[in-house]
Amino acid sequence: VAFHRSTAAIAVQSETHFLQRPHPVKTPSEMLASIAEDCKTLGIESNDVYGDFHIDNREDSYLRSFEAEVAQDFGMEDAVFMPSGVMAQSIALLIHSKGRKRFACHHSSHLLLHEEDGYKDLLHMDALTVSTKEKLMPYGYGVAPLMLEDVANALEVLKSDERLKKAGDVLSTLILELPHRELGGKLTLWDEVEQISQLCIEEGIHFHCDGARIFEASAGYGLALSELAKPFDSVYISFYKGLGGISGAMLLGSSTFCAEARKWLRRFGGNLYTLAPYAASGWSGYKRHVKGKGRGATFEEKQEKLVRIVKHLSNMEDVSSILSFDPPTPETNMFHGLLRASAKECLEASNKVEEQSGICVLSRVRDIDETDPAFDCGFRSKFELAMGDTNFLIEDEAYYIGWNDLAKELKGTKAS
């Protein structure tokens, strides 16, 4: 692939371009000022009080109006705004449990990796881990997402071990993350999502969607949010990841489910005196990114840009010698990059490139564990890149220049 420096190489000298930064970094005063503007734009003139649980009419509460709008877009009966996703998913598990103290999820689930065993110590539940660690993608170093076969096999083993007619006798919920963040944004095939849903119905199991990045999944599948939510009994969504809010989540489901969720939210201490800063920021992000009430790029456009950049980088000889992508073609607006140098070497090389060109190629890299299949393929570190509002505005050429310079720096380090 021919590679030429253009006017972009000159433009990047004037300011640092952070290729891994999806959202703008704001100071606390800038963040709070933006929330004040959000309130004006959205017409929020009074705070919610303890979640406005006492108000049924959406016209009398901005929070009820926000929840109703999202529920309608997802084709769900109701929705409940919450301070965090950890709280939302814990509440979903408690509601679905009905005395059954076990749920199932993929081995890469946030509940298993990042919540300090909250499901054990707080919810007193156990997890049935459905693992795909041994199922590698054809290119040898990527792990496959959860599929129907994986779920069916796990349920059959459970029923056989405990002599059950239905897995739902002991298993309350199956959680499916769309997309799989820890697998580079891979998506379970949609027809298999629908088949897993049917299997859950047959086995008497609730089907819950970890939709922390569901808007990215919607673009990846090419499906409307209402279609995406159909197979699930409940859905959790986040407002601070792809939507750029300061914090906040929403739990969606039937009216009965959400009425119970509000009780649990009070028990968790989640119905703060006012949720206004979080809800206003989240609603504003939802309006901009989902409802098209702003000038930002759509999730489809972000994915298209990322696919284009990955394809070009994969055809650059120096870059492809030190970098591979998982998945090779992004399925959403994110991917995991695998590097043949250590995290320390990559960050040192990136710092040198930044000094020379004003392009910060890498700011977050971690070493690959020896048990990771990618290690046996010669990779020593990995990173995540999600395309957001900020790095979407960086010209494609800057990505090519930055990575080309990084590859040369790393190869020069190895040669010396």
Side-chain angles (χ1 to χ4, degrees):
V1 175
F3 183 79
H4 305 283
R5 289 183 182 268
S6 68
T7 53
I10 300 173
V12 296
Q13 301 291 336
S14 61
E15 61 175 303
T16 301
H17 288 257
F18 295 90
L19 304 189
Q20 261 187 298
R21 183 176 291 174
H23 300 298
V25 175
K26 296 180 181 179
T27 65
S29 61
E30 290 171 337
M31 179 182 66
L32 293 172
S34 69
I35 294 173
E37 287 300 314
D38 292 337
C39 289
K40 292 178 183 177
T41 302
L42 295 166
I44 299 174
E45 297 180 346
S46 60
N47 290 320
D48 62 286
V49 178
Y50 292 120
D52 280 354
F53 287 0
H54 61 292
I55 299 176
D56 294 324
N57 188 355
R58 61 182 291 180
E59 302 301 325
D60 297 330
S61 164
Y62 85 88
L63 190 57
R64 287 285 88 76
S65 182
F66 177 22
E67 292 168 339
E69 178 181 345
V70 176
Q72 182 176 3
D73 292 341
F74 276 82
M76 294 292 213
E77 291 181 0
D78 199 0
V80 186
F81 186 84
M82 301 186 178
S84 76
V86 172
M87 191 178 295
Q89 299 213 103
S90 294
I91 287 174
L93 285 176
L94 285 168
I95 295 171
H96 289 319
S97 65
K98 303 302 182 187
R100 296 169 293 177
K101 292 297 183 178
R102 203 180 307 180
F103 68 95
C105 62
H106 190 251
H107 74 265
S108 68
S109 172
H110 194 277
L111 284 86
L112 301 183
L113 300 183
H114 305 299
E115 299 182 17
E116 301 290 346
D117 291 337
Y119 66 90
K120 292 181 182 178
D121 297 331
L122 292 179
L123 311 185
H124 305 295
M125 297 186 75
D126 293 317
L128 171 65
T129 302
V130 185
S131 177
T132 62
K133 288 181 179 179
E134 305 301 320
K135 294 181 66 175
L136 300 183
M137 302 298 287
Y139 44 92
Y141 51 80
V143 175
L146 190 69
M147 293 295 185
L148 173 66
E149 178 185 33
D150 308 312
V151 177
N153 289 342
L155 297 187
E156 285 303 315
V157 170
L158 176 66
K159 290 192 291 184
S160 175
D161 289 347
E162 303 201 14
R163 299 179 181 179
L164 303 171
K165 290 185 177 181
K166 287 187 176 183
D169 292 342
V170 295
L171 197 68
S172 67
T173 311
L174 171 66
I175 299 175
L176 176 62
E177 183 183 14
L178 297 177
H180 291 66
R181 185 267 178 97
E182 297 290 340
L183 304 187
K186 296 189 188 80
L187 291 165
T188 300
L189 296 175
W190 184 248
D191 62 340
E192 300 226 355
V193 174
E194 295 180 312
Q195 292 176 62
I196 293 172
S197 176
Q198 183 59 41
L199 177 61
C200 285
I201 292 172
E202 294 169 0
E203 294 287 349
I205 300 168
H206 292 286
F207 196 21
H208 172 77
C209 178
D210 177 344
R213 294 165 180 81
I214 198 166
F215 307 106
E216 293 87 334
S218 175
Y221 283 124
L223 293 173
L225 294 173
S226 57
E227 288 297 311
L228 205 57
K230 271 184 181 180
F232 299 98
D233 296 296
S234 56
V235 177
Y236 142 66
I237 65 175
S238 173
F239 292 101
Y240 82 87
K241 297 179 177 71
L243 303 187
I246 60 170
S247 187
M250 202 170 276
L251 195 55
L252 299 93
S254 68
S255 298
T256 302
F257 174 87
C258 288
E260 195 165 351
R262 290 188 172 93
K263 292 180 182 179
W264 277 110
L265 188 61
R266 184 181 294 277
R267 292 165 180 161
F268 271 69
N271 66 319
L272 309 180
Y273 178 70
T274 181
L275 291 161
Y278 311 104
S281 177
W283 198 7
S284 177
Y286 186 79
K287 291 284 192 183
R288 289 196 309 273
H289 296 286
V290 181
K291 308 302 285 286
K293 302 295 184 180
R295 298 180 181 177
T298 65
F299 286 106
E300 289 81 5
E301 290 169 335
K302 292 169 186 173
Q303 181 178 345
E304 289 167 4
K305 180 181 179 77
L306 198 60
V307 169
R308 185 172 65 244
I309 289 171
V310 166
K311 182 178 181 180
H312 191 102
L313 292 176
S314 298
N315 288 322
M316 293 173 62
E317 183 176 354
D318 284 337
V319 175
S320 63
S321 69
I322 60 107
L323 170 67
S324 292
F325 300 95
D326 183 26
T329 299
E331 297 178 17
T332 57
N333 67 323
M334 68 177 293
F335 68 77
H336 282 179
L338 302 170
L339 296 151
R340 297 193 177 276
S342 70
K344 182 175 182 290
E345 290 171 326
C346 290
L347 289 173
E348 288 176 349
S350 181
N351 289 339
K352 291 180 181 179
V353 171
E354 183 179 346
E355 291 174 2
Q356 297 164 3
S357 67
I359 304 173
C360 178
V361 181
L362 294 170
S363 53
R364 301 181 306 279
V365 191
R366 70 175 187 265
D367 286 317
I368 290 176
D369 189 89
E370 292 184 12
T371 61
D372 192 313
F375 191 90
D376 293 333
C377 295
F379 298 105
R380 294 297 176 263
S381 62
K382 68 192 299 183
F383 67 95
E384 177 180 289
L385 191 147
M387 188 63 68
D389 287 347
T390 300
N391 51 2
F392 179 85
L393 296 176
I394 300 173
E395 293 184 46
D396 292 11
E397 187 80 358
Y399 284 86
Y400 309 148
I401 290 171
W403 273 105
N404 191 64
D405 288 352
L406 181 66
K408 289 182 180 299
E409 189 67 43
L410 285 172
K411 294 179 78 172
T413 300
K414 292 292 185 183
S416 62

